[in-house]
Amino acid sequence: MAKVKPSIIEYTGTVGRVIHYTRFGKTYSRQLPAEYNDRKSEAQLRQRALFTARQHASSLFGTILQRGLTKEAHAHGLTEANYFSRLNKDNFVYSDGQVLINYPALLLARGPLPAVCANSIHTDGLHVDLTFLPNLHDKARPDDIVHIYAVSPDADVCMLMASVERQSARAAFDLPDVSDEVATGQSVTFHLYAIVEAANTAHIPTLSADEKKANRQHRNINRRVSPSLFLATVTV
């Protein structure tokens, strides 16, 4: 590595196999390595694939995790993504060069409120009509809000589809039309999840990734939620 003395010419970028960069006001030049120490053993490939799959899943489920895991994650000194990866380590399995995800078993929220229980689900194209048992006992309140999310790994979509009171025991909605996001004629799979949240915070929206960086106050929202509940898988 060489240090470049002050000059009217500013060196940045790569020329051939030499890279020029500036650090703390000083410019340096160094040659790129002739080869990389990347053995790509079976164990390395497995670990990389699992890490990539967990990171992608935590990004896909981001809005759900912000509602369901933020409080506990930061109590453990972790981000929602890292806490999600820790909780769901066994739900990502590497087999024959690919990662299989057990979507029904994923834990997307943890909290003290009782979850609802799935009862029935009917679909007609994109329309979904589902009923659930409100599970009104102990810490449950009739005005708790049940959030229903639809997640499609095929189209890389995670959307809040309905927010209804626990006592209503029913939700009806239309799944998003994501035909433009997939190949023509390809079927799309949606996984449906429910999270119960106390009414006093249920109206507070989740933030996008950029909004979270600009506003850290979302960590201080005392959301009281239930464990997440997998409702069904719908293919359209």
Side-chain angles (χ1 to χ4, degrees):
M1 180 178 69
K3 183 166 65 175
V4 180
K5 292 184 178 180
S7 169
I8 60 172
I9 302 175
E10 183 178 350
Y11 293 88
T12 58
T14 303
V15 179
R17 298 196 56 79
V18 179
I19 183 170
H20 307 278
Y21 61 97
T22 300
R23 184 175 177 81
F24 302 121
K26 296 181 180 180
T27 302
Y28 298 87
S29 299
R30 64 179 176 83
Q31 189 172 14
L32 293 172
E35 61 182 34
Y36 296 91
N37 185 21
D38 186 2
R39 298 185 180 87
K40 294 185 178 179
S41 67
E42 182 64 23
Q44 287 175 320
L45 293 174
R46 174 181 177 277
Q47 192 60 29
R48 289 175 191 171
L50 287 171
F51 177 81
T52 301
R54 290 177 188 135
Q55 288 295 106
H56 182 266
S58 66
S59 177
L60 175 62
F61 288 99
T63 55
I64 307 180
L65 304 184
Q66 188 182 147
R67 190 181 296 278
L69 289 182
T70 294
K71 183 179 178 181
E72 279 208 11
H74 289 289
H76 287 80
L78 300 171
T79 64
E80 295 99 333
N82 289 338
Y83 196 46
F84 165 81
S85 296
R86 177 181 293 186
L87 292 175
N88 293 285
K89 182 178 180 181
D90 294 337
N91 293 322
F92 292 77
V93 178
Y94 183 78
S95 177
D96 295 329
Q98 62 181 342
V99 177
L100 306 177
I101 304 175
N102 185 357
Y103 286 100
L106 290 179
L107 185 57
L108 309 176
R110 293 184 68 178
L113 296 186
V116 295
C117 300
N119 186 24
S120 66
I121 181 168
H122 301 281
T123 61
D124 182 10
L126 294 175
H127 186 73
V128 177
D129 196 332
L130 62 88
T131 61
F132 53 84
L133 304 178
N135 200 13
L136 285 168
H137 65 83
D138 297 333
K139 300 178 181 179
R141 291 176 56 91
D143 63 347
D144 287 340
I145 301 300
V146 180
H147 301 294
I148 310 294
Y149 285 90
V151 181
S152 173
D154 301 325
D156 204 29
V157 167
C158 175
M159 292 184 64
L160 176 63
M161 304 309 305
S163 295
V164 299
E165 290 190 345
R166 183 193 290 267
Q167 61 189 350
S168 70
R170 179 180 180 271
F173 52 87
D174 290 328
L175 293 168
D177 184 356
V178 295
S179 55
D180 292 339
E181 306 297 326
V182 298
T184 303
Q186 178 183 340
S187 61
V188 179
T189 297
F190 289 93
H191 304 293
L192 305 182
Y193 299 87
I195 299 175
V196 181
E197 182 175 2
N200 64 321
T201 60
H203 66 285
I204 302 176
T206 54
L207 305 177
S208 67
D210 290 337
E211 289 171 334
K212 285 172 62 177
K213 291 178 182 178
N215 179 13
R216 300 291 184 178
Q217 295 304 311
H218 75 281
R219 299 178 177 180
N220 300 325
I221 300 174
N222 187 24
R223 295 186 189 271
R224 296 177 61 250
V225 299
S226 71
S228 56
L229 171 70
F230 174 79
L231 296 170
T233 294
V234 178
T235 302
V236 295

